[in-house]
mmCIF file with all atom_site columns, all heavy atoms in Angstrom:
data_model
loop_
_atom_site.group_PDB
_atom_site.id
_atom_site.type_symbol
_atom_site.label_atom_id
_atom_site.label_alt_id
_atom_site.label_comp_id
_atom_site.label_asym_id
_atom_site.label_entity_id
_atom_site.label_seq_id
_atom_site.pdbx_PDB_ins_code
_atom_site.Cartn_x
_atom_site.Cartn_y
_atom_site.Cartn_z
_atom_site.occupancy
_atom_site.B_iso_or_equiv
_atom_site.pdbx_formal_charge
_atom_site.auth_seq_id
_atom_site.auth_comp_id
_atom_site.auth_asym_id
_atom_site.auth_atom_id
_atom_site.pdbx_PDB_model_num
ATOM 1   N N   . TYR A 1 47 ? -11.247 3.350   -7.774  1.00 0.00 ? 1239 TYR A N   1
ATOM 2   C CA  . TYR A 1 47 ? -12.616 2.846   -7.691  1.00 0.00 ? 1239 TYR A CA  1
ATOM 3   C C   . TYR A 1 47 ? -12.782 1.584   -8.540  1.00 0.00 ? 1239 TYR A C   1
ATOM 4   O O   . TYR A 1 47 ? -13.343 0.580   -8.087  1.00 0.00 ? 1239 TYR A O   1
ATOM 5   C CB  . TYR A 1 47 ? -13.587 3.945   -8.137  1.00 0.00 ? 1239 TYR A CB  1
ATOM 6   C CG  . TYR A 1 47 ? -15.046 3.572   -8.132  1.00 0.00 ? 1239 TYR A CG  1
ATOM 7   C CD1 . TYR A 1 47 ? -15.621 2.896   -7.068  1.00 0.00 ? 1239 TYR A CD1 1
ATOM 8   C CD2 . TYR A 1 47 ? -15.866 3.928   -9.199  1.00 0.00 ? 1239 TYR A CD2 1
ATOM 9   C CE1 . TYR A 1 47 ? -16.976 2.567   -7.064  1.00 0.00 ? 1239 TYR A CE1 1
ATOM 10  C CE2 . TYR A 1 47 ? -17.216 3.605   -9.202  1.00 0.00 ? 1239 TYR A CE2 1
ATOM 11  C CZ  . TYR A 1 47 ? -17.756 2.928   -8.138  1.00 0.00 ? 1239 TYR A CZ  1
ATOM 12  O OH  . TYR A 1 47 ? -19.097 2.609   -8.143  1.00 0.00 ? 1239 TYR A OH  1
ATOM 13  N N   . ALA A 1 48 ? -12.273 1.621   -9.762  1.00 0.00 ? 1240 ALA A N   1
ATOM 14  C CA  . ALA A 1 48 ? -12.363 0.455   -10.654 1.00 0.00 ? 1240 ALA A CA  1
ATOM 15  C C   . ALA A 1 48 ? -11.600 -0.734  -10.068 1.00 0.00 ? 1240 ALA A C   1
ATOM 16  O O   . ALA A 1 48 ? -12.071 -1.877  -10.119 1.00 0.00 ? 1240 ALA A O   1
ATOM 17  C CB  . ALA A 1 48 ? -11.831 0.805   -12.041 1.00 0.00 ? 1240 ALA A CB  1
ATOM 18  N N   . THR A 1 49 ? -10.430 -0.469  -9.489  1.00 0.00 ? 1241 THR A N   1
ATOM 19  C CA  . THR A 1 49 ? -9.636  -1.541  -8.881  1.00 0.00 ? 1241 THR A CA  1
ATOM 20  C C   . THR A 1 49 ? -10.371 -2.144  -7.693  1.00 0.00 ? 1241 THR A C   1
ATOM 21  O O   . THR A 1 49 ? -10.419 -3.371  -7.536  1.00 0.00 ? 1241 THR A O   1
ATOM 22  C CB  . THR A 1 49 ? -8.264  -1.004  -8.437  1.00 0.00 ? 1241 THR A CB  1
ATOM 23  O OG1 . THR A 1 49 ? -7.603  -0.441  -9.575  1.00 0.00 ? 1241 THR A OG1 1
ATOM 24  C CG2 . THR A 1 49 ? -7.395  -2.101  -7.857  1.00 0.00 ? 1241 THR A CG2 1
ATOM 25  N N   . SER A 1 50 ? -10.925 -1.299  -6.860  1.00 0.00 ? 1242 SER A N   1
ATOM 26  C CA  . SER A 1 50 ? -11.665 -1.775  -5.692  1.00 0.00 ? 1242 SER A CA  1
ATOM 27  C C   . SER A 1 50 ? -12.872 -2.604  -6.119  1.00 0.00 ? 1242 SER A C   1
ATOM 28  O O   . SER A 1 50 ? -13.137 -3.675  -5.547  1.00 0.00 ? 1242 SER A O   1
ATOM 29  C CB  . SER A 1 50 ? -12.121 -0.579  -4.851  1.00 0.00 ? 1242 SER A CB  1
ATOM 30  O OG  . SER A 1 50 ? -12.901 -1.003  -3.771  1.00 0.00 ? 1242 SER A OG  1
ATOM 31  N N   . SER A 1 51 ? -13.592 -2.150  -7.121  1.00 0.00 ? 1243 SER A N   1
ATOM 32  C CA  . SER A 1 51 ? -14.767 -2.883  -7.610  1.00 0.00 ? 1243 SER A CA  1
ATOM 33  C C   . SER A 1 51 ? -14.363 -4.215  -8.231  1.00 0.00 ? 1243 SER A C   1
ATOM 34  O O   . SER A 1 51 ? -15.020 -5.238  -8.003  1.00 0.00 ? 1243 SER A O   1
ATOM 35  C CB  . SER A 1 51 ? -15.534 -2.046  -8.632  1.00 0.00 ? 1243 SER A CB  1
ATOM 36  O OG  . SER A 1 51 ? -16.030 -0.877  -8.031  1.00 0.00 ? 1243 SER A OG  1
ATOM 37  N N   . ALA A 1 52 ? -13.285 -4.228  -9.004  1.00 0.00 ? 1244 ALA A N   1
ATOM 38  C CA  . ALA A 1 52 ? -12.804 -5.471  -9.619  1.00 0.00 ? 1244 ALA A CA  1
ATOM 39  C C   . ALA A 1 52 ? -12.314 -6.438  -8.543  1.00 0.00 ? 1244 ALA A C   1
ATOM 40  O O   . ALA A 1 52 ? -12.504 -7.659  -8.654  1.00 0.00 ? 1244 ALA A O   1
ATOM 41  C CB  . ALA A 1 52 ? -11.699 -5.169  -10.623 1.00 0.00 ? 1244 ALA A CB  1
ATOM 42  N N   . ASN A 1 53 ? -11.687 -5.919  -7.502  1.00 0.00 ? 1245 ASN A N   1
ATOM 43  C CA  . ASN A 1 53 ? -11.239 -6.757  -6.398  1.00 0.00 ? 1245 ASN A CA  1
ATOM 44  C C   . ASN A 1 53 ? -12.432 -7.406  -5.703  1.00 0.00 ? 1245 ASN A C   1
ATOM 45  O O   . ASN A 1 53 ? -12.376 -8.581  -5.320  1.00 0.00 ? 1245 ASN A O   1
ATOM 46  C CB  . ASN A 1 53 ? -10.414 -5.946  -5.402  1.00 0.00 ? 1245 ASN A CB  1
ATOM 47  C CG  . ASN A 1 53 ? -9.773  -6.812  -4.353  1.00 0.00 ? 1245 ASN A CG  1
ATOM 48  O OD1 . ASN A 1 53 ? -9.193  -7.851  -4.654  1.00 0.00 ? 1245 ASN A OD1 1
ATOM 49  N ND2 . ASN A 1 53 ? -9.871  -6.387  -3.101  1.00 0.00 ? 1245 ASN A ND2 1
ATOM 50  N N   . ALA A 1 54 ? -13.514 -6.658  -5.554  1.00 0.00 ? 1246 ALA A N   1
ATOM 51  C CA  . ALA A 1 54 ? -14.724 -7.210  -4.943  1.00 0.00 ? 1246 ALA A CA  1
ATOM 52  C C   . ALA A 1 54 ? -15.283 -8.350  -5.795  1.00 0.00 ? 1246 ALA A C   1
ATOM 53  O O   . ALA A 1 54 ? -15.716 -9.381  -5.257  1.00 0.00 ? 1246 ALA A O   1
ATOM 54  C CB  . ALA A 1 54 ? -15.779 -6.111  -4.759  1.00 0.00 ? 1246 ALA A CB  1
ATOM 55  N N   . VAL A 1 55 ? -15.243 -8.187  -7.113  1.00 0.00 ? 1247 VAL A N   1
ATOM 56  C CA  . VAL A 1 55 ? -15.716 -9.247  -8.017  1.00 0.00 ? 1247 VAL A CA  1
ATOM 57  C C   . VAL A 1 55 ? -14.830 -10.492 -7.866  1.00 0.00 ? 1247 VAL A C   1
ATOM 58  O O   . VAL A 1 55 ? -15.338 -11.614 -7.783  1.00 0.00 ? 1247 VAL A O   1
ATOM 59  C CB  . VAL A 1 55 ? -15.723 -8.761  -9.488  1.00 0.00 ? 1247 VAL A CB  1
ATOM 60  C CG1 . VAL A 1 55 ? -16.009 -9.905  -10.446 1.00 0.00 ? 1247 VAL A CG1 1
ATOM 61  C CG2 . VAL A 1 55 ? -16.738 -7.640  -9.679  1.00 0.00 ? 1247 VAL A CG2 1
ATOM 62  N N   . ALA A 1 56 ? -13.526 -10.290 -7.803  1.00 0.00 ? 1248 ALA A N   1
ATOM 63  C CA  . ALA A 1 56 ? -12.609 -11.423 -7.643  1.00 0.00 ? 1248 ALA A CA  1
ATOM 64  C C   . ALA A 1 56 ? -12.860 -12.144 -6.322  1.00 0.00 ? 1248 ALA A C   1
ATOM 65  O O   . ALA A 1 56 ? -12.886 -13.376 -6.271  1.00 0.00 ? 1248 ALA A O   1
ATOM 66  C CB  . ALA A 1 56 ? -11.161 -10.946 -7.729  1.00 0.00 ? 1248 ALA A CB  1
ATOM 67  N N   . LYS A 1 57 ? -13.061 -11.375 -5.257  1.00 0.00 ? 1249 LYS A N   1
ATOM 68  C CA  . LYS A 1 57 ? -13.325 -11.978 -3.941  1.00 0.00 ? 1249 LYS A CA  1
ATOM 69  C C   . LYS A 1 57 ? -14.638 -12.761 -3.946  1.00 0.00 ? 1249 LYS A C   1
ATOM 70  O O   . LYS A 1 57 ? -14.723 -13.817 -3.316  1.00 0.00 ? 1249 LYS A O   1
ATOM 71  C CB  . LYS A 1 57 ? -13.352 -10.904 -2.852  1.00 0.00 ? 1249 LYS A CB  1
ATOM 72  C CG  . LYS A 1 57 ? -11.987 -10.469 -2.415  1.00 0.00 ? 1249 LYS A CG  1
ATOM 73  C CD  . LYS A 1 57 ? -12.065 -9.514  -1.242  1.00 0.00 ? 1249 LYS A CD  1
ATOM 74  C CE  . LYS A 1 57 ? -10.677 -9.129  -0.784  1.00 0.00 ? 1249 LYS A CE  1
ATOM 75  N NZ  . LYS A 1 57 ? -10.714 -8.231  0.360   1.00 0.00 ? 1249 LYS A NZ  1
ATOM 76  N N   . GLU A 1 58 ? -15.658 -12.250 -4.633  1.00 0.00 ? 1250 GLU A N   1
ATOM 77  C CA  . GLU A 1 58 ? -16.935 -12.967 -4.741  1.00 0.00 ? 1250 GLU A CA  1
ATOM 78  C C   . GLU A 1 58 ? -16.741 -14.328 -5.392  1.00 0.00 ? 1250 GLU A C   1
ATOM 79  O O   . GLU A 1 58 ? -17.478 -15.269 -5.108  1.00 0.00 ? 1250 GLU A O   1
ATOM 80  C CB  . GLU A 1 58 ? -17.944 -12.155 -5.557  1.00 0.00 ? 1250 GLU A CB  1
ATOM 81  C CG  . GLU A 1 58 ? -18.510 -10.957 -4.843  1.00 0.00 ? 1250 GLU A CG  1
ATOM 82  C CD  . GLU A 1 58 ? -19.348 -10.078 -5.758  1.00 0.00 ? 1250 GLU A CD  1
ATOM 83  O OE1 . GLU A 1 58 ? -19.625 -10.470 -6.907  1.00 0.00 ? 1250 GLU A OE1 1
ATOM 84  O OE2 . GLU A 1 58 ? -19.721 -8.969  -5.316  1.00 0.00 ? 1250 GLU A OE2 1
ATOM 85  N N   . ASN A 1 59 ? -15.753 -14.415 -6.270  1.00 0.00 ? 1251 ASN A N   1
ATOM 86  C CA  . ASN A 1 59 ? -15.447 -15.667 -6.961  1.00 0.00 ? 1251 ASN A CA  1
ATOM 87  C C   . ASN A 1 59 ? -14.328 -16.450 -6.269  1.00 0.00 ? 1251 ASN A C   1
ATOM 88  O O   . ASN A 1 59 ? -13.712 -17.331 -6.875  1.00 0.00 ? 1251 ASN A O   1
ATOM 89  C CB  . ASN A 1 59 ? -15.072 -15.383 -8.419  1.00 0.00 ? 1251 ASN A CB  1
ATOM 90  C CG  . ASN A 1 59 ? -16.256 -14.854 -9.206  1.00 0.00 ? 1251 ASN A CG  1
ATOM 91  O OD1 . ASN A 1 59 ? -17.328 -15.445 -9.184  1.00 0.00 ? 1251 ASN A OD1 1
ATOM 92  N ND2 . ASN A 1 59 ? -16.076 -13.736 -9.883  1.00 0.00 ? 1251 ASN A ND2 1
ATOM 93  N N   . ASN A 1 60 ? -14.045 -16.078 -5.014  1.00 0.00 ? 1252 ASN A N   1
ATOM 94  C CA  . ASN A 1 60 ? -13.033 -16.760 -4.191  1.00 0.00 ? 1252 ASN A CA  1
ATOM 95  C C   . ASN A 1 60 ? -11.649 -16.776 -4.837  1.00 0.00 ? 1252 ASN A C   1
ATOM 96  O O   . ASN A 1 60 ? -10.956 -17.784 -4.818  1.00 0.00 ? 1252 ASN A O   1
ATOM 97  C CB  . ASN A 1 60 ? -13.479 -18.188 -3.855  1.00 0.00 ? 1252 ASN A CB  1
ATOM 98  C CG  . ASN A 1 60 ? -14.749 -18.201 -3.040  1.00 0.00 ? 1252 ASN A CG  1
ATOM 99  O OD1 . ASN A 1 60 ? -14.915 -17.386 -2.139  1.00 0.00 ? 1252 ASN A OD1 1
ATOM 100 N ND2 . ASN A 1 60 ? -15.652 -19.111 -3.363  1.00 0.00 ? 1252 ASN A ND2 1
ATOM 101 N N   . ARG A 1 61 ? -11.272 -15.648 -5.414  1.00 0.00 ? 1253 ARG A N   1
ATOM 102 C CA  . ARG A 1 61 ? -9.938  -15.509 -6.006  1.00 0.00 ? 1253 ARG A CA  1
ATOM 103 C C   . ARG A 1 61 ? -9.249  -14.298 -5.418  1.00 0.00 ? 1253 ARG A C   1
ATOM 104 O O   . ARG A 1 61 ? -9.900  -13.339 -5.029  1.00 0.00 ? 1253 ARG A O   1
ATOM 105 C CB  . ARG A 1 61 ? -10.027 -15.363 -7.528  1.00 0.00 ? 1253 ARG A CB  1
ATOM 106 C CG  . ARG A 1 61 ? -10.437 -16.639 -8.223  1.00 0.00 ? 1253 ARG A CG  1
ATOM 107 C CD  . ARG A 1 61 ? -10.472 -16.513 -9.737  1.00 0.00 ? 1253 ARG A CD  1
ATOM 108 N NE  . ARG A 1 61 ? -11.645 -15.743 -10.159 1.00 0.00 ? 1253 ARG A NE  1
ATOM 109 C CZ  . ARG A 1 61 ? -11.610 -14.493 -10.587 1.00 0.00 ? 1253 ARG A CZ  1
ATOM 110 N NH1 . ARG A 1 61 ? -10.497 -13.838 -10.699 1.00 0.00 ? 1253 ARG A NH1 1
ATOM 111 N NH2 . ARG A 1 61 ? -12.722 -13.872 -10.936 1.00 0.00 ? 1253 ARG A NH2 1
ATOM 112 N N   . LYS A 1 62 ? -7.917  -14.351 -5.384  1.00 0.00 ? 1254 LYS A N   1
ATOM 113 C CA  . LYS A 1 62 ? -7.134  -13.221 -4.880  1.00 0.00 ? 1254 LYS A CA  1
ATOM 114 C C   . LYS A 1 62 ? -6.594  -12.360 -6.017  1.00 0.00 ? 1254 LYS A C   1
ATOM 115 O O   . LYS A 1 62 ? -6.192  -11.231 -5.799  1.00 0.00 ? 1254 LYS A O   1
ATOM 116 C CB  . LYS A 1 62 ? -5.966  -13.726 -4.029  1.00 0.00 ? 1254 LYS A CB  1
ATOM 117 C CG  . LYS A 1 62 ? -6.405  -14.373 -2.742  1.00 0.00 ? 1254 LYS A CG  1
ATOM 118 C CD  . LYS A 1 62 ? -5.213  -14.803 -1.927  1.00 0.00 ? 1254 LYS A CD  1
ATOM 119 C CE  . LYS A 1 62 ? -5.644  -15.447 -0.626  1.00 0.00 ? 1254 LYS A CE  1
ATOM 120 N NZ  . LYS A 1 62 ? -4.496  -15.855 0.184   1.00 0.00 ? 1254 LYS A NZ  1
ATOM 121 N N   . THR A 1 63 ? -6.578  -12.909 -7.214  1.00 0.00 ? 1255 THR A N   1
ATOM 122 C CA  . THR A 1 63 ? -6.026  -12.195 -8.370  1.00 0.00 ? 1255 THR A CA  1
ATOM 123 C C   . THR A 1 63 ? -7.150  -11.601 -9.207  1.00 0.00 ? 1255 THR A C   1
ATOM 124 O O   . THR A 1 63 ? -8.097  -12.299 -9.572  1.00 0.00 ? 1255 THR A O   1
ATOM 125 C CB  . THR A 1 63 ? -5.187  -13.161 -9.237  1.00 0.00 ? 1255 THR A CB  1
ATOM 126 O OG1 . THR A 1 63 ? -4.173  -13.743 -8.418  1.00 0.00 ? 1255 THR A OG1 1
ATOM 127 C CG2 . THR A 1 63 ? -4.551  -12.431 -10.400 1.00 0.00 ? 1255 THR A CG2 1
#
Side-chain angles (χ1 to χ4, degrees):
Y1239 179 45
T1241 303
S1242 176
S1243 297
N1245 188 46
V1247 172
K1249 281 186 178 181
E1250 287 172 8
N1251 293 309
N1252 298 319
R1253 289 182 286 105
K1254 292 182 180 181
T1255 304

